[in-house]
Amino acid sequence: MNSRHKTILPWLLLSPYIIHFLVFVAFPIIFSLVLTFNRWNIISPMEYIGLSNYSRILHDRLFWKAVGNTLVFLSIHIPLQIIVAITLAEILNQKIKLRPFFRGAFFLPVIVSGVVVSILWQQLLGFNTGIFNRMLTSIGLGRVGWLIDPNWAMPSIAIMATWKNVGLYIVLFLVGLQTVPKAYYEAADIEGATKWQKFWHITLPMINPTIFMVVILSTIGGFSLFIEPYVMTGGGPLNSTLSAVLYIYKQAFFYYHMGYAATLGLFFAMIILFVIVIQKKFIEK
Amino acid sequence: MKNNGINIALKSIFYLLLVMAALMFIYPFVWMLSASLAPEHELATLTVIPSEITLKNYQVLLDKIPIGRALFNSVIVASSVTLGVLVFGSMIGYALSRLEFKGRDTIFYIILFTMTLPFQITLIPNYILMVKFGWVDTYAALIIPYMINAFAIIMFRQHFKSIPQDLIDAAKIDGCGELRIIFQILWPNSIPALVTIGIITFMASWNEVLWPLIVIRDEQLMTMPQLVTLFAVGGRAESQLGVKLASAVLLALPILVAYMFFQKYFIQSMASSGLKE
């Protein structure tokens, strides 16, 4: 009796997880694969169309546009994020006054909803009355169409996303910096190393794991970008801010192309995993 | 002596730059608050202190959208999700860290696997599930899929491993069942873990907007971020900037107030969640 009780008990405790896994993870994965071979608008019966969704995606200009937009976002967001975060973390790691205040200030946008940040920055980036263009005109420069110029819209969102997330990465880099043994720096001092040499040869290699994590989190963030373009640009101008998730959302809930939307989801997920594997190879060098 | 003077000057410049950097993160929020309290015609000037403070924007907002109801919905959803994640997370984390059984490692690896799975794959099928379950436009759609969280399970498992076995043995001798051990013996010894997981979960749930946009159409059931988003993009703000900003203020306020009191916990929680991923 007791031993039977013992074998059944763990599974009783695990049962909520197993049910959740089967219903909300395992079934959806299988079902999403089924969906990619079908055309379906939920209301009428599902229609088997073979590989049509797959061939369609390869010729879908908007799919490649969304991939390209995300790469534009990442190529600005990741370097900017890392440079700003390491710089501010290095500063906060010195003996400075009011450190909790500064850390708290940089962290502020992290906790606030992306909706709030998007509404706020939409005003800051406004063409006529936004603070950025006011500053530009006040020093005699012309206005920039931050959100209305197709060349600027995605970079603007990338800068905004950096502002929103950088506080978290400052804290992560601070944790990383504190793991560097003091003895390393002391040894370098004896050798007469400059501050820059110490940073390049000691700090940077030691915080490499943190850099890798920031790159991965930012990559996932880039492919998950949704509410920012949804609120600020609707994906425009000229689809220049159409993001992966926004495109899935449009296909699924504007056109009710469930099969095609599932195919998009699968492809974007594959691209995320592919990009992360490449980054891993690149950073480990 | 001269060196000292240069040092002080350098220090002042350093702090000046640092304060300016901090202002870049704080000022937009201050402007948002003051703009939402300013009369509409003063908005374009971007001053921090409006000439008169008016709640007109907030009145217009309350007339136009059920923001009070949305606040209530958000509280219900985020609290239920948090409670679920804490209760189920500790049950599952306990089984994985403290009980011996066949298949334990398999389950653990499945959980790790689900953490690496991009949500883009399961988004559409999960929506279809909600339709088939008849959960569209119900709290169930917002709460039940979120009640189990792989990250929370891993955190609880990690934490329970660090608790001395003696504590559990003593409780067993007293005849405690496993549930009592979890909730009456382990929980009081796990306050930091509970706070950390609680804050991350509550915040993520409070700020979630994509899923509500997909599964909720009825305005009376919308959460705050969803209602504010649809208000901002849907044209109902009628380009009244002040009203739009007022809605953003109301959405940000609860989390900001909590942040002021528990700043340290917020930062620690978020940092540990980042590190574990």
Side-chain angles (χ1 to χ4, degrees):
Chain A
M1 164 68 202
N2 199 16
S3 82
R4 223 186 104 210
H5 174 76
K6 263 198 176 141
T7 47
I8 240 174
L9 183 89
W11 297 101
L12 278 179
L13 289 173
L14 286 175
S15 57
Y17 178 76
I18 291 167
I19 294 167
H20 183 272
F21 173 76
L22 292 175
V23 175
F24 296 114
V25 183
F27 172 75
I29 292 175
I30 295 163
F31 190 55
S32 112
L33 290 175
V34 173
L35 273 173
T36 61
F37 297 106
N38 288 279
R39 182 186 292 144
W40 194 33
N41 64 4
I42 293 194
I43 300 151
S44 48
M46 218 183 264
E47 181 192 344
Y48 178 77
I49 54 167
L51 289 170
S52 293
N53 283 326
Y54 289 85
S55 63
R56 178 176 169 192
I57 217 168
L58 297 175
H59 300 105
D60 185 350
R61 207 179 48 79
L62 285 179
F63 165 75
W64 292 108
K65 182 82 185 156
V67 173
N69 290 340
T70 308
L71 294 181
V72 168
F73 175 88
L74 292 178
S75 64
I76 296 168
H77 180 59
I78 292 178
L80 192 64
Q81 179 106 283
I82 289 176
I83 292 169
V84 175
I86 290 185
T87 310
L88 290 174
E90 269 283 351
I91 291 172
L92 290 185
N93 202 30
Q94 314 294 319
K95 284 186 202 109
I96 61 160
K97 293 194 177 74
L98 294 173
R99 178 162 35 186
F101 164 77
F102 288 115
R103 199 181 58 167
F106 298 144
F107 204 80
L108 197 54
V110 176
I111 57 148
V112 174
S113 157
V115 177
V116 174
V117 172
S118 301
I119 291 176
L120 183 53
W121 274 69
Q122 201 179 18
Q123 308 317 318
L124 301 181
L125 295 169
F127 188 70
N128 286 317
T129 54
I131 191 168
F132 285 95
N133 278 351
R134 274 161 183 277
M135 290 196 309
L136 287 178
T137 50
S138 74
I139 55 170
L141 294 170
R143 292 191 164 101
V144 172
W146 300 107
L147 292 174
I148 53 178
D149 179 339
N151 294 320
W152 269 108
M154 203 52 164
S156 298
I157 290 181
I159 293 169
M160 176 187 85
T162 308
W163 180 83
K164 168 145 176 43
N165 297 331
V166 80
L168 176 63
Y169 299 116
I170 291 173
V171 175
L172 295 185
F173 277 122
L174 264 175
V175 175
L177 287 175
Q178 273 149 16
T179 61
V180 185
K182 285 233 162 50
Y184 287 18
Y185 293 117
E186 284 157 10
D189 283 335
I190 295 167
E191 305 264 321
T194 63
K195 268 193 176 170
W196 180 246
Q197 282 173 328
K198 279 192 278 185
F199 175 76
W200 198 250
H201 294 291
I202 300 173
T203 313
L204 216 50
M206 291 295 290
I207 58 172
N208 208 19
T210 317
I211 294 179
F212 180 54
M213 193 176 64
V214 172
V215 171
I216 287 192
L217 290 178
S218 304
T219 305
I220 295 172
F223 278 96
S224 309
L225 203 62
F226 169 74
I227 197 63
E228 295 83 355
Y230 185 87
V231 168
M232 298 172 84
T233 58
L238 298 174
N239 291 315
S240 62
T241 57
L242 183 73
S243 69
V245 176
L246 187 59
Y247 190 42
I248 296 175
Y249 179 84
K250 281 191 170 170
Q251 282 293 342
F253 305 107
F254 282 10
Y255 308 119
Y256 283 88
H257 296 158
M258 290 301 161
Y260 190 55
T263 315
L264 285 170
L266 184 69
F267 267 72
F268 281 123
M270 293 302 158
I271 294 175
I272 296 173
L273 297 176
F274 177 70
V275 171
I276 287 177
V277 167
I278 290 184
Q279 285 168 342
K280 194 170 165 120
K281 286 242 160 75
F282 186 71
I283 287 185
E284 272 171 357
K285 270 204 307 204
Chain B
M1 201 57 206
K2 197 180 152 211
N3 229 338
N4 223 348
I6 292 175
N7 256 341
I8 290 173
L10 277 178
K11 254 213 159 118
S12 314
I13 293 172
F14 172 79
Y15 275 102
L16 191 71
L17 288 175
L18 198 55
V19 168
M20 277 171 64
L23 279 180
M24 277 173 63
F25 288 82
I26 298 173
Y27 171 78
F29 291 109
V30 176
W31 174 75
M32 179 172 80
L33 179 65
S34 70
S36 75
L37 293 167
E40 191 73 27
H41 62 268
E42 272 186 31
L43 273 181
T45 57
L46 281 164
T47 44
V48 171
I49 300 159
S51 66
E52 54 166 322
I53 286 181
T54 162
L55 288 175
K56 199 171 151 279
N57 289 327
Y58 290 87
Q59 270 162 6
V60 174
L61 185 68
L62 286 174
D63 288 343
K64 281 196 171 168
I65 53 173
I67 193 86
R69 173 72 205 210
L71 174 69
F72 173 77
N73 292 336
S74 275
V75 170
I76 295 282
V77 169
S79 313
S80 315
V81 167
T82 308
L83 187 70
V85 165
L86 292 178
V87 168
F88 292 129
S90 42
M91 279 164 57
I92 299 155
Y94 174 80
L96 290 176
S97 63
R98 287 298 183 171
L99 302 177
E100 305 264 342
F101 58 96
K102 238 180 159 178
R104 186 172 81 167
D105 290 346
T106 314
I107 296 284
F108 179 64
Y109 287 124
I110 289 177
I111 293 173
L112 285 184
F113 163 75
T114 60
M115 284 177 79
T116 62
L117 197 71
F119 76 91
Q120 285 86 342
I121 295 184
T122 50
L123 187 68
I124 301 299
N126 269 325
Y127 165 70
I128 291 162
L129 269 184
M130 296 300 116
V131 175
K132 295 294 169 196
F133 288 171
W135 285 1
V136 169
D137 279 331
T138 65
Y139 283 139
L142 296 174
I143 296 170
I144 293 175
Y146 285 94
M147 285 180 116
I148 301 273
N149 180 293
F151 163 73
I153 295 172
I154 303 288
M155 293 255 303
F156 273 119
R157 174 181 170 272
Q158 238 15 49
H159 177 74
F160 289 155
K161 272 190 165 181
S162 70
I163 287 180
Q165 183 64 34
D166 297 353
L167 202 67
I168 295 166
D169 290 341
K172 278 197 176 146
I173 290 165
D174 289 343
C176 282
E178 308 288 343
L179 287 180
R180 271 190 67 193
I181 291 180
I182 297 172
F183 297 114
Q184 290 188 352
I185 310 288
L186 294 182
W187 268 28
N189 286 295
S190 314
I191 303 296
L194 289 169
V195 170
T196 299
I197 297 166
I199 284 182
I200 302 168
T201 311
F202 192 91
M203 214 177 78
S205 176
W206 186 273
N207 289 339
E208 173 64 43
V209 64
L210 174 59
W211 185 245
L213 276 173
I214 292 175
V215 295
I216 302 293
R217 309 283 154 82
D218 176 0
E219 207 172 66
Q220 291 300 315
L221 282 166
M222 287 181 182
T223 60
M224 267 187 114
Q226 181 188 10
L227 190 65
V228 168
T229 300
L230 292 177
F231 179 67
V233 299
R236 263 190 303 175
E238 285 156 12
S239 68
Q240 280 177 295
L241 180 52
V243 183
K244 214 163 146 178
L245 289 172
S247 72
V249 169
L250 288 183
L251 173 57
L253 210 56
I255 290 279
L256 281 179
V257 170
Y259 180 64
M260 275 177 202
F261 287 103
F262 303 110
Q263 184 183 322
K264 212 179 79 189
Y265 294 102
F266 268 90
I267 294 178
Q268 279 170 0
S269 306
M270 295 287 292
S272 62
S273 77
L275 286 173
K276 293 277 160 55
E277 263 173 51

